[in-house]
Amino acid sequence: MPRISPITIYTWPRAVLHIDGDAFFASCEQAIHPELKGKPVITGKERNIVASMSYEAKALGIRRAISIWEAKKICPNVVIVPSDYETYSLISKRMFSVMRRFTPTVEESSIDEGYADLTGLRRLYRTSYSEIAKQIKHQIETELDIPVSAGLSLTKTLAKLASKYRKPRGFTSVPGDVIHHFLKEIPICEVCGIGPNTTALLKKKGVFWALDYVQKNESWVKQYLGKIGGELWNELRGEPIYPLVPEAKTTYDSISKTKTFSPPTHHYEHLKARLYRNVESAFIKLRRYRLSAKRFTVYLREQDFKDYGIQSDLNRATPSPQEAFPLIETMLQELYRPNVLYRQTGIVLSRLQEDRGLQFELFEDPVRMVSLHRLARSIDEINARYGKHTVHSGMELYLKPGTIGENGRNTIPLRKTTLLYGETARQRLSFPMVQIKV
DNA sequence: TCTGGGGTCCTAGGACCC
DNA sequence: TCTGGGGTCCTAGGACCC
């Protein structure tokens, strides 16, 4: 038998560019409102938590996830703006379109960062990869008026480390022959994929820098860190494992909504109202993507930050919260302990499928099903026109302080346009309301 | 790090089947 | 008295990311 020799595939080194917006949200605000340039700016007013801060604010010691109140204490004249996600995603789209002018292989990894594969473009532009990278960065910064940092190297992992290396407005190129010099200066915890737990483990094994890591052998890292450990080991050595994924994300594996409230409460109806709000929000998003959900996970977070969840499936995926509410209420009852204070409710929708309209199970009431689905669509239309949660579950009235559930009163100040549906609204309230027959 | 919200992926172990 | 072996699928939970 003749020996069959393996086919050798020769690969050229890739040139991967990582572009990362510097203080992206705050920079967008400064681009749109030039009078804010040079000033400390923070976004996140609507949640009372700093979502993003300009470099001026960072210099004063303001950090992410602190409260707006604390930020004000640090710097009384800090400019506080609500997050304007629509504008940010518009600027984000323009950033990626600049990158796509150079190459179609662009991956949008989040709103403020992405990768571009420049491999092979040297001939086209008759210049080095570094020069092409600098051009892309320059065009983004001048056209959009926002600062970005750029990193260029052989793999996604290296390119991302490179863009982080000098910030803001930095550019770092790490060609193959200097990788080890570069990794000598990178603490292992900075590598994307190495979190706090893995860092702690590696520290015990004497690995502090990215260079220590790549100097271990592959079986060692696989033994301690599994598949991901091996992948990162290769990526850090310049061997590409992770491909660029140019397709835009069009669907989800799961959709969740959680919200923390204070003060914590042990009041059952209040929790239920919070949870129903989460559920409705999650379903709104679900329907926007034309999906339906089969699995539901209900979470309660206790005062000491312990989470308890419970999970259950419907026999068929649904796009309508009405169909899920009975199940969700049962799960909540199962989880709820009267003497515990809770600070957060949450819902996760999973086992998502494309919503292909209605398919009836035996024994189901088709008329009711059709009504429920039409109700959901109508609510979407009304809410699209008049604002989110204009029509919402009557259960949510428990969220208005000083009304039902709190002191037995059942009158409530409503927005003129507030409509209600659901059992609670019909049964418990005596004021005029729009009744929707289900 | 005194703690917000929304995601993805990996893995060990159990259930089940032949 | 001793007690197969292997594959697949599913699940819960952990870890990580922005």
Side-chain angles (χ1 to χ4, degrees), chain A residues 38 73 75 92 148 168 195 209 249 274 296 306 345 367 378 393:
Chain A
K73 213 169 65 179
C75 172
S92 168
V148 298
W209 304 90
K249 186 168 175 53
R274 294 274 177 193
F296 305 87
K306 282 202 181 97
T345 57
V367 178
S378 308
S393 160

Side-chain angles (χ1 to χ4, degrees), chain A residues 23 26 39-43 49-80:
Chain A
K39 292 186 183 165
V41 176
I42 57 180
T43 73
I49 280 182
V50 176
S52 163
M53 63 277 164
S54 69
Y55 276 84
E56 295 83 1
K58 200 180 272 182
L60 297 169
I62 295 174
R63 281 166 311 154
R64 256 187 95 237
I66 66 171
S67 70
I68 296 279
W69 179 82
E70 275 178 279
K72 246 194 256 180
K73 213 169 65 179
I74 294 168
C75 172
N77 59 349
V78 63
V79 182
I80 306 156

Side-chain angles (χ1 to χ4, degrees), chain A residues 27 135 214 281 384 392:
Chain A
S27 298
Q135 274 184 42
V214 297
S281 301
H392 57 73

Side-chain angles (χ1 to χ4, degrees), chain A residues 19-25 92 95-96 109-114 148:
Chain A
I19 295 277
D20 195 357
D22 301 319
F24 187 69
F25 294 176
S92 168
M95 179 172 93
F96 291 117
S109 40
S110 75
I111 192 166
D112 68 336
E113 62 179 278
V148 298

Side-chain angles (χ1 to χ4, degrees), chain A residues 144-165:
Chain A
L144 276 58
D145 200 15
I146 57 162
V148 298
S149 293
L152 177 68
S153 192
L154 301 178
T155 65
K156 286 170 81 174
T157 304
L158 285 170
K160 189 169 161 86
L161 286 171
S163 72
K164 195 156 66 172
Y165 189 64

Side-chain angles (χ1 to χ4, degrees), chain A residues 363-374:
Chain A
F363 308 121
E364 266 178 355
D365 175 357
V367 178
R368 180 161 189 274
M369 290 299 124
V370 171
S371 306
L372 285 178
H373 287 231
R374 284 177 54 194

